[in-house]
Amino acid sequence: MEEINHVAVLDFGSQYTQLIVRRVRELGCFAKLYQPENLSEIGKPGAIILSGGPSSTSDEDAPDIDFDLLKSYQVPVLGVCYGMQLLNIKFGGSVKSSKHREYGQAGLFPVVTEGLYADISAESQVWMSHSDTVDHLADNCKIIAKNQHGTPVSLQWGETFYGIQFHPEVTHSHEGTQILKNFLNTCGELAEFKIEDFKQELIEGIRQKCGDKQVVCGVSGGVDSTVLAVLLNEAGVNVQAIYVDQGLMRKNETAEVEANFKRMGVPITVVDASERFLTALAGEADPEKKRKIIGNMFIDVFWDAVGNAEMLAQGTLYPDVIESASNENSKASTIKTHHNRVDRILEMQKEGKVLEPLAELFKDEVRELGATMGIDADILNRHPFPGPGLAVRCPGDLTKEKLDIIRDCDAIFIEELKSSGWYEKTWQAYAGLIPVKTVGVKGDERSYEFATNLRAVISEDAMTADWVDLPTPLLRKVSSRILNEVDGINRVLYDISSKPPASIEWE
Ligand code: XMP
């Protein structure tokens, strides 16, 4: 890809660096991430952004920058957080370091109304995470914004060097995107970001890394793994998708995934391990033990299918990278770690045999990429589905009978959500089983059957969620269909619990 006039983002180690890249892309400009020590390899950029980072500029091994080289590019430069402190020092100012990090919201009060702060409110909220603060300013430096205490939080050196103490890339900085846009507006014409070009770049990287080696990738039918497999196929590498059916998938799901892959021309191996999983799970009611059995068996079955493949591709996304680095305790990250970072993968990684082409992307960008490859909107807009499948929607021990009941209830619920237009408006929805039998009347006879719980939530990142206020006629229709069409259910409940304190799944 032509790298003329792109935005070069230098990574000083902040966990938000990739978010800067993403925001710049959202603003329509092509951005690329580099390590500061590779400053000489950034081609002909149109702008340079120095990211934040965990270090203090006074640390012995604090990351540095070749300032003469930086200036030699003669393009506008924006230093964010650590990047600003570093610029301040390079221009001859000084920085007060502190052992305490200041986190959280702060007020932003621009001193100027042009340049970085054109169209920015006289007072707005920004988000900070820093330990260093500005002490002395260099001669050519002017303060362009302060916080609520009057402390300088944004500086300008000469005409084209800017610094901001806060993080404009996070949504808690309410006008952060506009500030980034204003910075980009101070630059000349910048290279445009087009997902098609980006795809081409990914494809070239994949070809270089894989050559004619055999590449396998695990697929679940979800967005990430599907986009990955289709991308590998489009790159023309020798790819084999592997799908493990643990007997915990939804109604017709395995057949649909297989048909979709065949239609898209991606070779797929379906491993039917349902008997094996259900036998291992029989009689086990403890949620964590169930998870463990499923996780371990999945790994065994998957690696048996992988055999001696030379390369392994994974659909790891940027938030997964961040999450495993920063939040080892979250359930999702533990599970993903379980699957994506087991010893054998670590070994393969060391040998350069693991490929994670989507690791720079966010979910919506993956969807956009998938759309350019003709993947059905139905697949791209699928709700998330947990790795352990229906097991986490069926408290207590699992039987095929219970799982079949869930499959039937869930299929009706999802069908009705889709036909009423509510599927797209919910973040995740499903029917589960409440493994308690209650008395009812079906026809003229007493029934003694299970209940199903319907759950529909909205969420941004699964960390918090709220239940969806579905219209009563829709709930009425779903309930009536389930009670009439599904054997084994005589009660339908709607789950009106938010997360927290509840979770999205039941286990
Ligand atoms: P909870 O139930 O924790 O779910 O509110 C949050 C999100 O994570 C999904 N989830 C899982 N995904 N393995 C996964 O891959 C798991 O064990 C797992 N448990 C929950 C869940 O579907 C929701 O999107």
Side-chain angles (χ1 to χ4, degrees), residues 341-348:
R341 295 275 178 266
V342 291
D343 290 349
R344 179 145 173 212
I345 294 183
L346 292 178
E347 262 169 47
M348 286 183 82

Side-chain angles (χ1 to χ4, degrees), residues 394-421:
C394 184
D397 68 313
L398 295 170
T399 62
K400 178 149 187 320
E401 181 213 353
K402 288 180 185 169
L403 291 164
D404 282 341
I405 291 175
I406 295 186
R407 284 190 254 268
D408 287 342
C409 296
D410 185 72
I412 292 172
F413 186 34
I414 298 300
E415 187 185 319
E416 291 300 333
L417 285 174
K418 284 189 174 163
S419 62
S420 60

Side-chain angles (χ1 to χ4, degrees), residues 299-312:
I299 290 167
D300 290 347
V301 172
F302 178 73
W303 286 107
D304 277 353
V306 168
N308 291 324
E310 296 159 290
M311 300 280 294
L312 176 76

Side-chain angles (χ1 to χ4, degrees), residues 291 331 335 384 386-388 427-428 462 499 503-505:
R291 260 207 173 73
K331 196 195 285 175
I335 295 297
W427 193 81
Q428 198 170 10
K499 172 183 180 173
S503 50
I504 295 175
E505 307 292 351

Side-chain angles (χ1 to χ4, degrees), residues 168-219:
E169 66 277 20
V170 303
T171 50
H172 305 294
S173 290
H174 291 167
E175 297 181 48
T177 304
Q178 181 64 42
I179 294 170
L180 277 178
K181 189 175 174 186
N182 288 342
F183 169 67
L184 299 177
N185 284 344
T186 69
C187 311
E189 199 167 320
L190 294 171
E192 230 183 295
F193 175 72
K194 292 197 213 91
I195 194 86
E196 283 284 353
D197 296 340
F198 189 67
K199 181 175 88 180
Q200 229 26 64
E201 188 172 307
L202 289 180
I203 284 181
E204 276 157 32
I206 290 169
R207 284 187 185 141
Q208 251 179 28
K209 196 151 183 198
C210 299
D212 54 6
K213 290 185 190 137
Q214 155 100 96
V215 186
V216 294
C217 65
V219 294

Side-chain angles (χ1 to χ4, degrees), residues 375-404:
I375 300 176
D376 273 0
D378 241 21
I379 301 176
L380 297 177
N381 299 324
R382 250 174 59 130
H383 286 171
F385 186 62
L390 301 180
V392 293
R393 299 176 176 178
C394 184
D397 68 313
L398 295 170
T399 62
K400 178 149 187 320
E401 181 213 353
K402 288 180 185 169
L403 291 164
D404 282 341

Side-chain angles (χ1 to χ4, degrees), residues 417-487:
L417 285 174
K418 284 189 174 163
S419 62
S420 60
W422 276 91
Y423 185 84
E424 291 78 23
K425 290 188 241 170
T426 52
W427 193 81
Q428 198 170 10
Y430 68 87
L433 191 91
I434 303 179
V436 175
K437 289 192 174 177
T438 66
V439 173
V441 188
K442 267 197 175 171
D444 284 333
E445 288 184 20
R446 173 186 186 274
S447 71
Y448 188 55
E449 292 173 315
F450 291 124
T452 182
N453 61 303
L454 308 179
R455 185 115 169 94
V457 296
I458 41 167
S459 173
E460 291 226 337
D461 52 10
M463 303 303 282
T464 61
D466 200 2
W467 57 278
V468 179
D469 202 356
L470 291 177
T472 309
L474 173 60
L475 288 171
R476 201 176 278 284
K477 186 167 180 201
V478 174
S479 160
S480 159
R481 278 196 60 192
I482 290 177
L483 293 174
N484 279 294
E485 295 174 33
V486 183
D487 280 339

Side-chain angles (χ1 to χ4, degrees), residues 129-317:
S129 166
H130 66 110
S131 46
D132 289 350
T133 46
V134 167
D135 194 5
H136 292 294
L137 301 177
D139 291 344
N140 66 340
C141 179
K142 66 177 181 196
I143 297 166
I144 52 176
K146 296 181 177 178
N147 68 9
Q148 67 274 29
H149 308 298
T151 311
V153 292
S154 186
L155 306 175
Q156 182 174 347
W157 301 268
E159 291 304 311
T160 57
F161 279 75
Y162 303 91
I164 44 186
Q165 179 66 79
F166 51 90
H167 287 271
E169 66 277 20
V170 303
T171 50
H172 305 294
S173 290
H174 291 167
E175 297 181 48
T177 304
Q178 181 64 42
I179 294 170
L180 277 178
K181 189 175 174 186
N182 288 342
F183 169 67
L184 299 177
N185 284 344
T186 69
C187 311
E189 199 167 320
L190 294 171
E192 230 183 295
F193 175 72
K194 292 197 213 91
I195 194 86
E196 283 284 353
D197 296 340
F198 189 67
K199 181 175 88 180
Q200 229 26 64
E201 188 172 307
L202 289 180
I203 284 181
E204 276 157 32
I206 290 169
R207 284 187 185 141
Q208 251 179 28
K209 196 151 183 198
C210 299
D212 54 6
K213 290 185 190 137
Q214 155 100 96
V215 186
V216 294
C217 65
V219 294
S220 63
V223 185
D224 314 340
S225 59
T226 305
V227 170
L228 171 70
V230 176
L231 183 70
L232 291 167
N233 198 46
E234 208 167 308
V237 300
N238 179 7
V239 59
Q240 180 67 43
I242 298 175
Y243 171 96
V244 176
D245 182 352
Q246 321 137 313
L248 302 167
M249 307 307 282
R250 290 162 291 189
K251 197 168 181 174
N252 299 330
E253 190 160 14
T254 299
E256 279 168 18
V257 171
E258 192 172 12
N260 280 333
F261 272 72
K262 288 206 165 131
R263 191 172 38 75
M264 295 183 293
V266 184
I268 180 166
T269 304
V270 172
V271 183
D272 180 1
S274 46
E275 288 269 343
R276 206 171 144 187
F277 275 85
L278 293 190
T279 307
L281 286 162
E284 184 55 72
D286 182 275
E288 287 316 308
K289 287 191 184 145
K290 280 161 73 180
R291 260 207 173 73
K292 212 168 215 156
I293 293 172
I294 296 166
N296 290 337
M297 189 164 282
F298 182 92
I299 290 167
D300 290 347
V301 172
F302 178 73
W303 286 107
D304 277 353
V306 168
N308 291 324
E310 296 159 290
M311 300 280 294
L312 176 76
Q314 307 201 97
T316 314
L317 305 192

